[in-house]
Amino acid sequence: MTREAPFCRESLYAVGDLHGCLESLQQLLSQLPGRPQLIFLGDLVNRGPQSLETLRFVKKLEESGRAQCLLGNHDLHLLCVAAGHARPHGRDTIAPILEAADCGALIDWLRRQHLALYREGALFVHAGVHPDWSLEQTLGLAREAEEQLSGPGWKDYLRDMYGDTQWSEGLAGTARMRAILNAFTRIRFIDRRTKELNFSVREGLAQAPASLEPWFEQQDRKLRGELIVFGHWSMLGLMMKPRLIAVDTGCLWGGTLSAVRMSDRRLFTVRSPLWRKPGGA
């Protein structure tokens, strides 16, 4: 199994979902001491006020060697629209990206980002990990999808991206693609009885139906011994447990934008304006 080259542990930070909130990001970065190395947990763009400017800013950070980025479901939606396979939704704020003179360069950069990263003993993903996947399988499936997204046939790869396909070992073609992307970028709950991933319920733990449990509480999931860091789930909020860190603290919804320093789990936050009322994906 190939694991990624390490960042410096003392300066490594996990940053929650940005959603185009550039001012909040700049304020947050001003708090971080030294020369921080950043892992953005996905959903760089969409729904917030400055998706285009945020994408440009994060791209420069990544190209300077100061950051690495995960793809979230909103980032994949942008790629799918750019590929001509979907239309923007009513609450989307990706039109300035698609209309920008540097759109092609931004899209080409975005599609070369990651679905999973292993750094300093921690696995970083946008939404979660399928409970049946080992660490080796998780990283292998991430690389498989990343190679397709970064290759010349990326538009065809995303042609049938939307759908609630469940993972199974025998999947191939577009069904396999959907299942991989679903697990990395959309997972929140699992049905207790069927063990299927649920992609429709977005509430917090107290509001969810009793038939569902969060993916990370599945008793027989294979990565219970690994530290997993994720975003995506603003209704879950901040969570720090020995083997789990959740860091989407709802900057888009008037919450905070947060960064966790991985060496000592120190939390840095900035309060964000209410750019959107909660609701929707």
Side-chain angles (χ1 to χ4, degrees):
M1 172 176 56
T2 300
R3 296 188 179 181
E4 305 288 348
F7 271 10
C8 175
R9 182 176 179 83
E10 287 70 25
S11 59
L12 179 60
Y13 296 79
V15 183
D17 302 29
L18 300 179
H19 286 289
C21 298
L22 179 58
E23 290 184 7
S24 297
L25 174 59
Q26 291 172 325
Q27 292 171 21
L28 180 65
L29 295 183
S30 71
Q31 293 186 17
L32 307 185
R35 185 175 172 83
Q37 295 174 310
L38 311 166
I39 294 181
F40 291 100
L41 296 175
D43 282 355
L44 306 177
V45 301
N46 209 15
R47 304 292 172 83
Q50 292 181 289
S51 287
L52 171 60
E53 294 82 0
T54 300
L55 199 58
R56 287 171 173 163
F57 185 86
V58 174
K59 179 175 180 285
K60 288 182 180 179
L61 286 176
E62 192 271 343
E63 291 174 340
S64 71
R66 292 185 57 196
Q68 290 185 297
C69 303
L70 296 172
L71 291 168
N73 51 301
H74 284 275
D75 307 315
L76 289 171
H77 174 60
L78 169 60
L79 291 177
C80 203
V81 173
H85 303 319
R87 294 181 179 181
H89 301 145
R91 288 154 53 95
D92 288 349
T93 59
I94 58 175
I97 300 172
L98 300 168
E99 297 165 359
D102 56 347
C103 175
L106 293 170
I107 293 298
D108 282 345
W109 172 82
L110 185 63
R111 66 187 179 87
R112 289 180 169 88
Q113 302 315 302
H114 302 275
L115 286 168
L117 289 167
Y118 194 91
R119 294 286 184 272
E120 296 299 320
L123 177 64
F124 298 83
V125 291
H126 174 62
V129 181
H130 196 288
D132 292 344
W133 294 351
S134 66
L135 182 59
E136 182 176 11
Q137 187 176 17
T138 297
L139 297 177
L141 291 172
R143 298 297 89 82
E144 176 185 326
E146 291 163 9
E147 288 174 4
Q148 294 294 331
L149 287 170
S150 62
W154 71 277
K155 291 184 178 180
D156 289 335
Y157 185 74
L158 292 176
R159 185 178 302 278
D160 299 307
M161 185 183 78
Y162 298 99
D164 294 346
T165 301
Q166 300 286 325
W167 169 259
S168 69
E169 293 288 350
L171 288 176
T174 57
R176 181 178 179 89
M177 172 273 296
R178 280 195 303 274
I180 293 172
L181 297 183
N182 283 343
F184 280 122
T185 69
R186 296 180 62 205
I187 186 175
R188 289 187 181 95
F189 288 104
I190 295 177
D191 189 289
R192 296 178 188 274
R193 182 179 62 82
T194 67
K195 304 303 181 184
E196 288 189 346
L197 309 189
N198 179 284
F199 301 116
S200 60
V201 176
R202 303 183 178 95
E203 285 79 8
L205 302 186
Q207 295 79 30
S211 59
L212 302 178
E213 64 180 342
W215 64 268
F216 49 80
E217 289 187 1
Q218 255 251 305
Q219 290 300 309
D220 57 350
R221 68 180 179 90
K222 291 186 176 180
L223 292 185
R224 292 189 69 83
E226 294 284 345
L227 172 58
I228 300 178
V229 186
F230 63 101
H232 181 59
W233 200 345
S234 61
M235 295 295 290
L236 179 67
L238 180 71
M239 182 179 70
M240 290 200 196
K241 295 184 177 182
R243 295 295 176 185
L244 289 165
I245 298 176
V247 69
D248 181 0
T249 49
C251 72
L252 180 64
W253 318 116
T256 61
L257 180 63
S258 299
V260 176
R261 186 163 62 191
M262 295 304 298
S263 60
D264 58 3
R265 300 200 179 196
R266 180 179 172 184
L267 179 68
F268 297 80
T269 65
V270 294
R271 176 63 60 179
S272 299
L274 175 63
W275 295 111
R276 290 287 184 275
K277 293 183 179 180

